[in-house]
Amino acid sequence: MTTTTLSIADLHQRVEAIFCRAGINDVQSAALARVIVAGERDACTSHGIYRIEGILRTLKAGKVRGDAQPTLEEAGKGAIVKANAQGGFSSAAFELGLPHLVDRARTLGLAALVVNDCTHFSALWPEVEAVTDHGLAALVMCPSYASVAPAGGIRPLLGTNPLAFGWPRPGRDPYVFDFATSVTARGEIELHRRAGKALPDGWAVDSSGAPTTDPAAALAGAMLPFGGHKGSAIGTMIELLAGVMIGDLTSPEALDFLGTTTLAPRHGELILALSPEKFAAGRPGDPFARAETLLQKITGQGARLPSARRFAARARCEADGITLSAPEIALLDRLLDLGLDGVA
Ligand code: NDP
Ligand code: PYC
């Protein structure tokens, strides 16, 4: 198959230009391009350039504001920082709130950034890493739209509700995990459908509640939580903390607002930042050195750390560029050429 290799900077420039061409303002286009290109660079294809068309479809459907300017609603001396995406995408609102979150967490030991009224489609690890870059631990979560049956049920109610955690490791890549609380991200099911591939057992049920490996039947039915009742409970916790508690939409409410699962959902997001130094103060041992002892015992028995695959892909792309297939290049060219008219 014909492929084209682009530098990370070239791909960023193309993706940002597509968003600008579609009428998305500069602050959002730049932030969107950063997370999309990061996804492609780190071989997280379910949240890379494949998402561009869905973003533009959501804009074309009038479900997200391309002209939104995120605002800071609360950033005083307290532990809660609030950013509002004003109906735009989460990424620019996160970037606006981040310096305040870092400042509060460093001062108080623990702080939260709430992002409200945002359309959210991205992986969470870019935000986790933006916090660990400042020597802070991070916990990030958000709902999505009703697509997952609670354990023991058969109808979509919870979202795929991602949960991500990061621990800073001075001088090395942070410890990061980031996963859907469904067996897999919905994007993976869509990628299986497009590739004509059957799903593994245990990912989903069809609309009658019977197990299915057919991606189309799974998309029309319900996805399953990971780990049975455990993933179901964590998914529910995310609805409560990052939906109800922050005064924003839960996954069933997000689906009502959107009316479809083919567009990117509107809801809120919760980002917690914690200072290991502040928490460990006065206790024996350096928390970062103790963390290394633990993490090295994991890799020491041959297990890999989460994100190791991703960091290896990043190192490869930084050295050799990002390789895209001919259909992927054609998609970028079409969207740059036609803007919203190029969206199916
Ligand atoms: P995966 O199951 O692919 O991976 C989950 C995590 O586990 C990753 O950190 C991964 O690291 C790690 N991992 C995988 N295999 C191993 C292993 N053998 N040993 C140790 N660690 C391992 O993720 P999901 O499909 O659940 O989610 C993919 C993405 O989708 C996430 O980034 C998530 O944020 C995003 N998402 C976003 C949603 C939204 O509403 N915005 C909704 C749902 C998901 P590595 O990457 O290195 O393989
Ligand atoms: O892949 O499950 C997913 C997803 C939902 C919203 C954004 N990503």
Side-chain angles (χ1 to χ4, degrees):
M1 187 199 278
T2 316
T3 59
T4 302
T5 299
L6 299 173
S7 70
I8 295 170
D10 279 351
L11 182 61
H12 179 99
Q13 187 262 325
R14 280 197 198 203
V15 173
E16 187 174 354
I18 288 170
F19 292 134
C20 290
R21 166 81 174 85
I24 298 177
N25 61 17
D26 290 352
V27 65
Q28 295 201 81
S29 289
L32 287 171
R34 275 189 275 280
V35 291
I36 295 270
V37 173
E40 205 59 40
R41 177 202 64 198
D42 281 19
C44 292
T45 45
S46 70
H47 289 80
I49 58 168
Y50 141 75
R51 290 277 166 182
I52 297 175
E53 206 162 6
I55 291 169
L56 300 189
R57 212 181 298 121
T58 309
L59 183 68
K60 196 171 177 176
K63 294 290 186 183
V64 65
R65 284 185 50 202
D67 63 351
Q69 291 286 348
T71 54
L72 212 50
E73 307 276 286
E74 194 172 317
K77 300 220 176 300
I80 301 175
V81 177
K82 290 189 181 176
N84 193 303
Q86 302 294 349
F89 294 95
S90 60
S91 313
F94 169 80
E95 290 184 0
L96 183 66
L98 177 67
H100 303 276
L101 173 73
V102 169
D103 173 70
R104 296 290 75 214
R106 283 209 175 121
T107 304
L108 301 172
L110 170 66
L113 169 60
V114 171
V115 178
N116 283 119
D117 300 331
C118 62
T119 287
H120 195 291
F121 66 88
S122 59
L124 300 185
W125 54 259
E127 295 172 352
V128 163
E129 289 184 30
V131 176
T132 58
D133 280 352
H134 293 275
L136 298 164
L139 198 57
V140 183
M141 63 191 84
C142 68
S144 55
Y145 43 59
S147 51
V148 178
I154 56 166
R155 280 189 301 282
L157 178 74
L158 306 172
T160 48
N161 299 4
L163 177 68
F165 169 77
W167 177 271
R169 302 177 72 192
R172 349 177 42 143
D173 290 325
Y175 174 91
V176 177
F177 71 71
D178 178 13
F179 49 70
T181 47
S182 43
V183 175
T184 188
R186 193 168 178 84
E188 275 301 326
I189 299 197
E190 175 58 20
L191 290 175
H192 275 73
R193 189 189 67 78
R194 291 182 185 194
K197 290 199 320 211
L199 303 176
D201 287 332
W203 280 23
V205 292
D206 65 18
S207 47
S208 72
T212 185
T213 57
D214 173 2
L219 292 170
M223 298 168 66
L224 295 174
F226 85 94
H229 62 282
K230 300 179 186 181
S232 190
I234 295 173
T236 306
M237 174 194 79
I238 293 170
E239 300 288 347
L240 295 172
L241 292 179
V244 174
M245 186 179 83
I246 65 168
D248 219 308
L249 300 183
T250 60
S251 295
E253 292 166 343
L255 183 58
D256 283 348
F257 170 83
L258 214 55
T260 171
T261 57
T262 61
L263 303 176
R266 163 93 65 99
H267 47 69
E269 182 179 9
L270 180 63
I271 300 109
L272 303 177
L274 305 94
S275 162
E277 283 136 323
K278 288 260 185 210
F279 274 87
R283 299 293 304 166
D286 168 49
F288 297 113
R290 295 186 62 216
E292 287 315 304
T293 304
L294 178 75
L295 297 176
Q296 278 162 21
K297 284 184 175 157
I298 295 176
T299 51
Q301 52 175 280
R304 82 150 160 103
L305 296 181
S307 295
R309 177 200 64 87
R310 206 162 54 69
F311 291 134
R314 182 182 303 182
R316 276 196 308 276
C317 286
E318 283 172 349
D320 304 332
I322 299 178
T323 299
L324 299 179
S325 65
E328 288 171 328
I329 291 287
L331 171 77
L332 297 181
D333 288 346
R334 173 164 58 83
L335 295 176
L336 187 55
D337 197 26
L338 301 175
L340 291 184
D341 290 339
V343 177

